[in-house]
Amino acid sequence: MSSRLLPIIVLITTVWLLIFAGSYTIFQLIVTFPDFYPGLEGRIVTSIFKVGISGLLVLFWLYIMWTLRNFYVKRRLLIKPAEE
Amino acid sequence: MLTTTTQTITALLAFILPLAATITLTPLLIKTLTKRRILVQDYHKPNRPLIPKPGGPAIILSLIIGELTIYLMTENPVTLALILVTAIAGAIGVIDDIHPLSGVLKPTLLITASLPILLLGTYNFHPEFPLFGGVRLSIIYPLLVLIAIPVTANTVNTIDVLNGAVSGFIAIASVPLIFALVLKSGITSALPVLPILSVSLGFYIFHRSPSKIFPGDSGSLSLGALYGALAIVGGVEVVGIVALLPAILNSFFFLSSVRRFIEHRKVKERPVKVLGENRLAASRSGSAPITLVRLILADGPLTEKKIVLNIFKITVFSAGLAIITAVMTWVI
């Protein structure tokens, strides 16, 4: 694999690992939260909390991707002088 | 349960018939489109030659022939859903090729391509993840199916940027799907993936550089929609996502840089520029959209063939990760 592709490979590997970490956090930690208090109301509140926190996690995941993208673009595309 | 002989015959037919159909239909389409002057410029060549487009109808018909063969041999209702998904996404693609749809309307219309999977009940709302196994998503899963087909179709469409890129990409990305399905539920469940592999390989012969035909949106959307549908009906969603990562990242880069759903044709600043000797260079402008090709070109110009080769190398790497994902899900 050439050095040209190395940053993209690192990016893909990071996304792959984040898929594992994210799905584990959502399905093994957040989904298994017990209800905050008994009854239907408690179930609804807990479900809303679970959806909300999972959504935040997805946004955080996208933020990491966005940051990695910016880091890569600034270093490689905008700062690096054109060789052509 | 199919006998080994029936399984082998079905596998051979599911691979050979769509391949033969693609190899026969594509040259006919090239002739017809050229005769009727339905041609577009190849922007990435210095002399901008005129290339027939779309090759989608040959792709759609060949995919349907393959899935129909499997249906006739196995009577598996899953293949009916796959035929309908391909036909609907393909029809939307044909409309888009004739009269370009807006960046919002196209994914909205593609939601209809997800409906056969839901209406025929050919999905399982227990997706399986590596290491911790299956999870129950009875409410949210059908909603995800509705979104998944437009997402995969458009994602694959965004990788259709250079000669041979999308057909080669799908051929490579199909391999981990076959591997995962064989590992998960045996050879029979992997049969519906064979037509997409053979059609993309067959079309690649005409699509590789210098292209004799472009697939158009009808070709790339039908391939992408079928790919997504195969991952859903086979229950190998995570493997499918990992194999598609180069295209997913390409879409993410593009959307996050232009910050809206927009047709690539309408982007004012191009991410790459054409140099002499068939070489392409990355745009150094801060306002040009970020794409996978632009990132590949960050270290300096390359020929179109070499860029596509680099896309294939990245896809092979993702396919490897997808195979590891499958092993982690169904073996470990």
Side-chain angles (χ1 to χ4, degrees):
Chain A
M1 208 65 83
S2 69
S3 62
R4 183 188 281 271
L5 297 183
L6 199 65
I8 302 171
I9 295 296
V10 170
L11 213 61
I12 287 175
T13 311
T14 311
V15 177
W16 182 60
L17 294 171
L18 284 173
I19 290 173
F20 287 169
S23 56
Y24 182 85
T25 311
I26 290 173
F27 295 114
Q28 295 295 293
L29 303 177
I30 298 171
V31 170
T32 54
F33 269 1
D35 288 352
F36 293 141
Y37 46 91
L40 183 66
E41 202 180 308
R43 223 175 128 193
I44 291 170
V45 171
T46 314
S47 299
I48 291 170
F49 171 77
K50 285 176 184 176
V51 170
I53 202 127
S54 301
L56 280 177
L57 198 74
V58 172
L59 288 178
F60 181 63
W61 187 86
L62 288 172
Y63 175 74
I64 295 174
M65 291 316 305
W66 190 70
T67 310
L68 280 171
R69 185 211 78 173
N70 285 351
F71 177 73
Y72 180 58
V73 168
K74 274 179 193 154
R75 278 176 65 100
R76 291 244 163 188
L77 267 174
L78 303 181
I79 295 173
K80 203 177 161 82
E83 288 165 32
E84 60 267 27
Chain B
M1 196 73 183
L2 299 177
T3 62
T4 314
T5 317
T6 318
Q7 220 171 44
T8 313
I9 293 169
T10 311
L12 282 172
L13 290 176
F15 188 84
I16 293 168
L17 285 181
L19 181 69
T22 315
I23 291 173
T24 314
L25 292 171
T26 310
L28 288 176
L29 203 56
I30 293 172
K31 263 189 193 168
T32 311
L33 292 169
T34 310
K35 203 174 165 188
R36 294 187 176 193
R37 303 295 297 162
I38 305 173
L39 310 163
V40 290
Q41 285 185 339
D42 186 347
Y43 281 104
H44 296 123
K45 301 273 190 307
N47 55 347
R48 294 193 173 185
L50 291 170
I51 310 293
K53 178 188 160 186
I59 293 175
I60 299 162
L61 209 60
S62 306
L63 288 172
I64 291 174
I65 288 171
E67 299 299 342
L68 197 63
T69 307
I70 299 168
Y71 179 71
L72 294 174
M73 296 291 286
T74 64
E75 294 179 358
N76 184 353
V78 158
T79 48
L80 270 188
L82 296 173
I83 291 168
L84 290 170
V85 169
T86 310
I88 296 170
I92 294 166
V94 170
I95 295 169
D96 193 35
D97 283 328
I98 297 166
H99 178 79
L101 303 169
S102 75
V104 177
L105 184 61
K106 191 161 54 174
T108 311
L109 283 176
L110 280 167
I111 291 174
T112 56
S114 318
L115 295 177
I117 300 172
L118 295 176
L119 296 175
L120 294 172
T122 51
Y123 65 95
N124 175 1
F125 53 77
H126 292 94
E128 289 182 70
F129 287 84
L131 304 174
F132 60 88
V135 292
R136 192 169 177 270
L137 294 173
S138 50
I139 298 169
I140 208 164
Y141 194 85
L143 298 173
L144 292 176
V145 171
L146 279 181
I147 303 165
I149 301 302
V151 168
T152 52
N154 272 302
T155 299
V156 169
N157 189 26
T158 62
I159 208 93
D160 181 24
V161 282
L162 297 171
N163 292 189
V166 73
S167 44
F169 174 80
I170 285 291
I172 298 167
S174 304
V175 176
L177 275 195
I178 295 172
F179 180 83
L181 285 164
V182 170
L183 211 59
K184 189 191 174 206
S185 6
I187 294 170
T188 308
S189 62
L191 294 174
V193 190
L194 294 175
I196 198 171
L197 173 65
S198 67
V199 169
S200 44
L201 282 175
F203 194 77
Y204 179 75
I205 298 168
F206 307 96
H207 188 211
R208 69 185 168 182
S209 184
S211 281
K212 293 181 181 70
I213 190 166
F214 288 154
D217 283 358
S218 48
S220 54
L221 290 180
S222 54
L223 285 171
L226 179 60
Y227 190 92
L230 284 164
I232 291 167
V233 300
V236 291
E237 301 88 344
V238 182
V239 172
I241 291 169
V242 175
L244 284 188
L245 274 180
I248 293 171
L249 281 179
N250 185 46
S251 290
F252 174 77
F253 293 150
F254 181 81
L255 289 173
S256 62
S257 53
V258 298
R259 296 183 181 190
R260 65 198 156 117
F261 287 102
I262 185 172
E263 264 293 284
H264 59 89
R265 286 174 274 239
K266 290 188 178 167
V267 175
K268 284 179 187 154
E269 209 163 348
R270 299 194 78 85
V272 293
K273 50 189 174 182
V274 183
L275 306 175
E277 296 160 5
N278 202 14
R279 289 186 319 148
L280 300 176
S283 165
R284 303 282 162 186
S285 161
S287 53
I290 300 161
T291 63
L292 189 64
V293 171
R294 193 175 168 212
L295 292 184
I296 290 171
L297 290 170
D299 277 0
L302 281 178
T303 61
E304 188 178 7
K305 268 187 187 175
K306 282 196 175 158
I307 301 167
V308 174
L309 187 67
N310 278 314
I311 293 175
F312 291 167
K313 282 181 185 173
I314 296 165
T315 313
V316 168
F317 180 78
S318 282
L321 291 181
I323 286 172
I324 295 171
T325 308
V327 171
M328 286 167 75
T329 311
W330 292 288
V331 177
I332 297 172

